[in-house]
């Protein structure tokens, strides 16, 4: 993207003034850019407001040496290396990382233009507040003072839960960890982030099936797949560089590619078998495939016998999904699904890949578990080439999830129990009673005290209801009165008409972001809105976790631009204001009063995240991996010689024990063909040892080198003593274990890592060796069931496959049956779904503010099947209204295409800045409006939340469409 081509020959960008380059080659380049409001005034604003720093440096840049600095693309979870070319502190050019095993010198359009993400002239340049309807520039000191005072007043009047801390999938790991800790010190579990609404149903479904809620293998390991099954994912657009790996398997192994999606996507265009199915029927589709597998005895019986519990119950449910019933529900002919089943059976190991098409449903946790069961039945788990390769979205949504920016857990999935708080207070060196005192206590129904420290907070998907719901129906005493949206795009959430109301009801709205985001303009507030400029990840340093669980270290490319500050500095400013900075940073080195040392934060989470093995990845080890990328094999990810010999690239978690222990990282989860010390694993013993009289532990199978040659439970100190292995502990380890809970101390709470070290030395997995469970008895649907969407036009199926009764979860009432009982399908006959485009990411503010990307995709649109369009009198390229059954409507351009089947419409979700037909460009601070604005699909998207995680439903609602 940054190459200007002359006669087809690429040349390097000129080493001259960045601003003159922007002025000459970007501003006047397209008429739409002129129309978008970027004029000389925009450039003048840069030099008037901090751009002078950049400009002054640029003047001398031409004479200085170019320094190459490695960073990682911030636009998706593939984790492509960006080599930034920096002269005199100015980022003047970039190359894709050729040594990176993830991207092998490739970038997609977003990665190739990521320099503009940092240098973007549409960034928020200084703190601002809205006063009397006008944006006013303020200082950081004024901002922190006013916001801090306002929050402390709200806290005094309504309690700590009346301030909601909404974090980011864009935080690096250190920022994510610090953010969750920060919320704990403020005294609330009303903290969450984007993962709630992209893969929470994956994390819950997968973790509850076999132990960990993450991608089991890696993008690179797909090279070994003999078949590739993608459902509800469009990596050709959402994770473009991942296609390198998928297509390598297709070409090298002749691996058939099966793509199941309601929409014929760019990924489907590569498929050997495209399965179009009705949105929201994933469970029925998977059971329809399994029906053929069971009917023909094609399942892996030995794998199931030794490593799976509950498959008999699955078999009983699957028996209901004969080809006729499957076709009635999904629309897919039985003959096609038999072919799919045969293909998967004949080409083992195969991988199953899914994304948000599978997760964003009211029964999303059922979908993710059904996908897992398919792989268990095929015996495709714990093997290279197999696994569930779940592609996460944002660059660090995996890390931010692992580090606990979530309302239901502390870092490392420890939960919110007394034990979890005990563990983290030990890591933090904090007085647990002081922490408890920071939280509110409410009365439960019996009038007993209920401390909210142990209760799940409101999830991001429901923050609107936290503001608008009657407190009498909530499990906290007062509504949310202040929202902090820290690196979060509000247009990625459904029900935007109600969101507007909620934003207007708040006492205070604080946006912390490199860009103003739709939060700046969605509402009609005249006061009480603050915009604080955060740095991009190119202006700080730290680790980021790719979808495959590898951690990569980003070096700082440039100093903070304009008046922006890194997230960790902004958190320190607030902590100082609130008076507990000394506590928060007790164990963290400070470079000055407001600058925590990033490596020191890494070391603090290294010392506490034993559950998922974020303990071995010291900053030094991660930096060494980045520096020696070329030594890692591009398929196995293992270093061949060199300083990291034998380790896996990025030390994919779990990287057990202390850094000094030198664990290799775990490339493929649950792979028993390797010793645990070398990246092998069993399924986790997480759900007890017995169920319904059955043994839940593995039956006679174990990792290579295991001294326990059968299933075994998770390790505790008592277990080491029983096995006679406690003598292997050092005196220091023994003392640390005794200080926690003596014999009760387990592999997750032992701060010395001794229990893990000794278990692994004997060839065992610290978390035990169990069967995966195909039936999750703790969930609303223990066996995954098909349930019709809340808004369905298949009224004939509602009786057979009803949704849930209304429930109460995460402090709020949640509606199911009371919506589904109403028939909206006569007025809203078309199914509405949504998804990604290659040019943009997430809510799109960053990428729509990038001129290189903006020119590629200038209009928001809706895809309509020509049959529907002709019946509705709609022409290609014309403006139409799309309205959802809750009344939200958007005015967009019609694209007539057979990508969608008749009766289905699709809209991308990256647009914002128009609302129900009105252009809101004038509401942005001057010079900070994205080039491209458009309607948000989520204005028309409706209510609906997963029964376990509160994931929002965006893939199967209804709409009506008419010519505008
Ligand atoms: Fe790579 Fe994803 Fe960035 Fe594209 S968006 S360059 S695939 S990390």
């Amino acid at each position: 993207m940054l190459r200007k081509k002359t006669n087809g020959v690429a040349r390097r960008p000129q080493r001259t003034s960045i601003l003159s380059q922007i002025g000459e080659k970007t501003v006047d380049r397209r008429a739409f850019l002129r129309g978008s409001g970027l004029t000389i005034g925009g450039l003048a604003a840069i030099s008037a407001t901090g751009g002078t720093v950049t400009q002054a440096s640029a003047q001398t840049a031409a004479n200085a040496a170019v320094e190459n600095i490695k960073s990682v693309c911030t636009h998706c979870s593939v984790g492509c290396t960006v080599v930034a070319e920096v002269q005199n502190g100015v980022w003047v050019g970039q190359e894709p990382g050729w040594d990176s095993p993830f991207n092998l010198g490739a970038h997609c359009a977003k990665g190739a233009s990521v320099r503009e993400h940092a240098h973007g002239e549409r960034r928020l340049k200084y703190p601002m507040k809205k006063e009397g309807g006008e944006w006013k520039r303020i200082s950081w000191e004024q901002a922190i003072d006013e916001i801090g005072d306002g929050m402390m007043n709200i806290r005094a009047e309504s309690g700590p839960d009346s301030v909601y801390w909404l974090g980011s999938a864009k935080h690096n790991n250190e920022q994510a960890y610090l953010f969750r800790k920060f919320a704990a010190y403020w005294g609330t579990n009303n903290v969450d982030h984007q993962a709630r609404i992209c893969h929470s149903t994956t994390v819950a479904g997968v973790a509850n099936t076999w132990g960990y809620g993450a991608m089991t293998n890696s993008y690179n390991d797909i090279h070994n797949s003999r078949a590739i099954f993608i459902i509800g994912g469009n990596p050709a657009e959402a994770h473009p560089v991942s296609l390198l790996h998928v297509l390598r398997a297709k070409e090298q192994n002749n691996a058939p590619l099966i793509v199941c999606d309601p929409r014929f996507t760019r990924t489907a265009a590569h498929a050997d078998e495209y399965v179009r199915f009705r949105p929201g029927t994933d469970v029925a589709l998977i059971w329809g495939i399994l029906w053929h597998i069971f009917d023909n005895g094609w399942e892996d019986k030995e794998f199931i016998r030794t490593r799976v519990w509950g498959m008999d119950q699955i078999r009983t449910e699957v028996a209901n999904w004969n080809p006729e019933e499957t076709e009635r529900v999904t629309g897919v002919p039985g003959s096609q699904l038999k072919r799919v089943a045969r293909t998967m059976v004949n080409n083992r190991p195969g991988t199953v890949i899914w994304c948000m098409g599978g997760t964003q449903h009211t029964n999303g946790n059922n979908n993710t578990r059904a996908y897992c069961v398919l792989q268990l039945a095929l015996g495709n788990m714990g093997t290279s080439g197999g696994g569930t390769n779940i592609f996460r979205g944002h660059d660090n949504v995996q890390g931010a999830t692992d580090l606990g920016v979530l309302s239901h857990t502390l870092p490392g999935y420890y939960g919110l129990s007394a034990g979890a708080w005990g563990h983290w207070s030990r890591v933090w060196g904090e007085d647990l009673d002081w922490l408890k005192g920071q939280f509110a206590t409410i009365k439960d129904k019996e009038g007993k005290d209920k401390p909210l420290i142990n209760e799940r907070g409101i999830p991001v998907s429901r923050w609107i209801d936290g503001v608008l719901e009657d407190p009498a129906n909530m499990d906290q005493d007062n509504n949310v009165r202040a929202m902090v949206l820290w690196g979060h795009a509000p247009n990625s959430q459904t029900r935007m008409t109600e969101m507007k109301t909620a934003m207007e009801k708040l006492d205070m709205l604080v946006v912390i972001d490199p860009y103003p985001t739709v939060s700046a303009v969605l509402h009609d507030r005249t006061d009480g809105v603050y915009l604080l400029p955060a740095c991009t990840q190119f202006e700080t340093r730290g680790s980021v976790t790719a979808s495959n669980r590898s951690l990569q270290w980003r070096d700082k490319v440039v100093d903070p631009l304009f008046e922006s500050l890194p997230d960790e500095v902004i958190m320190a400013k607030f902590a100082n204001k609130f008076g507990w900075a000394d506590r928060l940073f007790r164990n963290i080195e400070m470079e000055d009063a407001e600058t925590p040392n990033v490596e020191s934060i890494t070391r603090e989470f290294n010392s506490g995240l034993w559950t998922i093995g974020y303990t071995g990845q010291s900053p030094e080890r991660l930096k060494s991996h980045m520096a020696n990328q070329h030594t890692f094999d591009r398929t196995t990810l293992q270093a061949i010689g060199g300083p990291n010999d034998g380790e896996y690239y990025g030390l994919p978690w779990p990287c057990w024990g202390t850094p000094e222990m030198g664990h290799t990282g775990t490339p493929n989860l649950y792979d028993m063909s390797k010793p645990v010390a070398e990246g092998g694993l069993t399924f986790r013993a997480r759900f007890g040892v017995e169920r319904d009289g059955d043994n839940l532990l593995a039956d006679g199978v174990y990792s290579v080198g295991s001294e326990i040659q059968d299933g075994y439970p998770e390790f505790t100190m008592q277990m080491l003593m029983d096995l006679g292995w406690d003598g292997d502990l050092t005196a220091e380890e023994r003392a640390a274990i005794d200080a926690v809970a003596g014999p009760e101390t387990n592999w997750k709470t032992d701060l010395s890592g001794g229990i893990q070290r000794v278990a692994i030395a004997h060839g065992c997995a610290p978390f035990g060796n169990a069967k995966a469970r195909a039936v999750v008895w703790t969930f609303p649907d223990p066996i995954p069931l098909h349930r019709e969407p809340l808004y369905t036009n298949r009224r004939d199926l509602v009786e057979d496959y009803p949704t849930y009764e209304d429930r109460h979860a995460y402090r709020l009432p949640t509606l199911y049956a009371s919506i589904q009982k109403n028939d909206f399908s006569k007025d809203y006959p078309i199914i509405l779904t949504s998804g990604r485009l290659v040019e943009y990411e997430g809510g799109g503010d960053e990428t729509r503010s990038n001129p290189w990307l903006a020119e590629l995709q200038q209009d928001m649109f809706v895809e309509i099947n020509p049959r529907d369009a002709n019946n509705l009198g709609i022409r290609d390229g014309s403006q139409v209204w799309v309205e959802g059954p809750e009344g939200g409507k958007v005015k967009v351009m019609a694209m007539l295409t057979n990508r969608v089947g008749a009766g289905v419409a699709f809209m991308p979700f990256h647009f914002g800045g128009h609302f129900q037909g009105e252009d809101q460009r004038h509401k942005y601070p001057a010079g900070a409006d994205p080039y491209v604005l458009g309607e948000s699909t989520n204005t028309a998207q409706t209510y609906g939340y997963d029964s376990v995680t509160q994931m929002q439903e965006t893939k199967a609602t209804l709409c009506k469409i008419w010519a505008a």
Side-chain angles (χ1 to χ4, degrees), residues 73 75-76 78-80 107-108 110-111 239-241:
C73 175
H75 289 315
C76 93
V78 175
C80 300
H107 268 173
C108 75
K110 296 185 288 290
H239 307 84
V241 170

Side-chain angles (χ1 to χ4, degrees), residues 72-82 94 96 102-103 106-114 219 235-243 393-395 552 836 838 840-841 847:
V72 175
C73 175
T74 50
H75 289 315
C76 93
S77 68
V78 175
C80 300
T81 294
V82 177
Q94 68 170 88
F102 292 163
N103 59 300
H107 268 173
C108 75
K110 296 185 288 290
S113 60
V114 84
Y219 293 108
E237 298 210 61
H239 307 84
V241 170
S242 74
L243 259 279
H394 292 275
D395 58 320
Q552 301 188 94
R836 273 177 85 158
V838 68
Y840 295 143
E841 196 231 350
T847 40

Side-chain angles (χ1 to χ4, degrees), residues 155-395:
R155 183 192 170 94
E157 289 169 10
S158 308
D161 294 297
S162 284
V163 178
Y164 194 110
W165 297 94
L166 175 44
S168 185
K170 295 292 179 203
H171 292 320
N172 62 30
N173 286 330
E174 290 69 24
Q175 294 163 343
Y177 168 76
L178 193 58
F179 191 82
R180 185 60 182 90
K181 185 178 177 186
F182 178 98
Y185 276 62
W186 170 262
T188 188
N189 292 324
N190 280 343
V191 52
D192 216 28
H193 86 289
Q194 187 74 27
R196 177 76 54 194
I197 53 177
C198 55
H199 268 295
S200 62
T201 45
T202 294
V203 175
V206 173
N208 278 282
T209 300
W210 45 54
Y212 282 148
M215 181 166 176
T216 60
N217 294 35
S218 67
Y219 293 108
N220 300 65
D221 184 64
I222 296 169
H223 301 173
N224 297 312
S225 298
R226 301 282 157 182
I228 304 151
F229 181 96
I230 302 179
I231 183 164
N234 181 16
E237 298 210 61
H239 307 84
V241 170
S242 74
L243 259 279
L244 274 180
H245 306 295
V246 171
L247 294 179
R248 179 161 162 185
K250 190 169 178 330
E251 290 166 15
Q252 185 174 276
N253 309 340
N254 207 16
L257 173 62
I258 301 161
V259 174
C260 306
D261 203 293
R263 177 171 173 255
F264 187 79
T265 60
R266 290 186 187 186
T267 306
H270 291 282
D272 299 282
E273 178 93 46
Y274 167 59
V275 181
R276 194 196 287 283
F277 68 107
R278 185 169 68 92
T281 62
D282 299 53
V283 173
L285 187 85
I286 298 295
W287 286 173
I289 295 168
L290 259 186
W291 187 91
H292 292 286
I293 292 172
F294 287 146
D295 192 49
N296 289 284
W298 290 337
E299 70 274 21
D300 186 333
K301 297 176 185 66
E302 184 60 9
F303 184 91
I304 294 169
R305 184 184 73 75
T306 56
R307 300 193 72 185
V308 183
W309 181 85
M311 195 60 91
D312 288 348
Q313 295 176 58
I314 298 287
R315 190 187 289 271
T316 304
E317 171 62 20
V318 166
N320 299 323
W321 293 94
N322 59 39
E324 296 71 35
E325 185 62 3
T326 303
E327 181 166 1
R328 182 172 84 102
V329 172
T330 66
V332 184
S335 56
Q336 185 177 27
L337 292 188
K338 183 167 188 180
R339 193 164 62 236
V340 168
R342 192 195 300 273
T343 301
M344 292 298 290
V345 166
N346 288 343
N347 295 280
R348 293 188 247 194
T351 184
V352 168
I353 297 168
W354 72 82
C355 290
M356 284 151 50
T359 63
Q360 290 186 328
H361 293 284
T362 49
N363 65 340
N365 79 82
N366 288 3
N367 294 346
T368 61
R369 289 183 292 131
Y371 309 148
C372 295
V373 170
L374 174 64
Q375 285 294 68
L376 290 171
L378 289 166
N380 276 342
M381 293 309 301
T383 182
S384 184
T388 50
N389 281 314
I390 306 142
F391 292 0
R392 303 298 300 258
H394 292 275
D395 58 320

Side-chain angles (χ1 to χ4, degrees), residues 389-593:
N389 281 314
I390 306 142
F391 292 0
R392 303 298 300 258
H394 292 275
D395 58 320
N396 202 33
V397 70
Q398 182 64 53
T401 306
D402 297 336
L403 274 304
V405 187
L406 294 165
S407 71
H408 65 280
T409 185
L410 288 166
Y413 310 95
Y414 277 83
L416 296 172
S417 65
W421 284 101
H423 171 73
W424 280 106
S425 63
R426 276 191 292 278
V427 175
W428 297 335
E430 190 51 82
D431 172 0
L432 183 54
D433 287 332
W434 180 86
L435 269 176
K436 287 179 182 168
Q438 289 293 94
F439 282 76
T441 297
I442 62 168
K443 296 286 182 196
D444 67 11
K445 287 198 184 86
E446 283 83 44
K448 289 197 197 122
D449 280 351
K450 187 172 171 183
L452 292 183
I453 191 170
N454 303 120
E455 300 298 321
R456 294 172 170 193
I458 295 168
V460 54
S461 49
R462 306 296 305 278
W463 76 259
I464 309 166
D465 298 300
V467 178
L468 301 177
E469 182 64 58
D470 181 348
N473 300 327
M474 295 167 60
D475 293 337
Q476 65 179 54
D477 285 337
N478 295 291
N479 287 118
V480 171
R481 293 175 55 192
M483 275 302 295
V484 181
L485 291 106
W486 199 319
H488 179 83
N491 50 321
S492 58
Q493 288 184 241
T494 55
R495 299 167 59 205
M496 285 183 66
T497 55
E498 287 170 271
M499 188 187 298
K500 178 175 187 294
T501 307
M503 282 184 171
E504 288 164 0
K505 190 185 165 204
L506 290 167
D507 292 31
M508 189 194 297
L509 176 60
V510 182
V511 179
I512 306 175
D513 203 283
Y515 291 84
T517 78
V518 171
S519 298
V521 300
L522 177 62
H523 48 81
D524 289 324
R525 297 182 70 104
T526 56
D527 294 275
V529 187
Y530 293 86
L531 306 179
L532 306 184
C535 287
T536 66
Q537 290 300 334
F538 303 111
E539 298 151 88
T540 183
R541 64 188 193 278
S543 63
V544 51
T545 305
S547 195
N548 73 310
R549 299 168 283 106
S550 284
L551 277 66
Q552 301 188 94
W553 191 268
R554 288 186 180 116
D555 282 330
K556 186 173 79 169
V557 174
V558 287
D559 285 334
L561 288 160
F562 314 112
E563 290 184 15
S564 65
L565 292 174
D567 289 353
E568 64 272 18
V569 173
I570 302 171
M571 286 179 230
K573 280 182 178 292
F574 275 117
N576 275 318
K577 173 70 183 172
F578 296 143
W580 32 257
D582 287 350
R583 287 177 174 273
L584 186 73
F585 297 111
R586 180 184 282 117
N587 297 333
I588 295 170
E589 262 174 58
M590 300 299 286
E591 292 171 7
D592 59 44

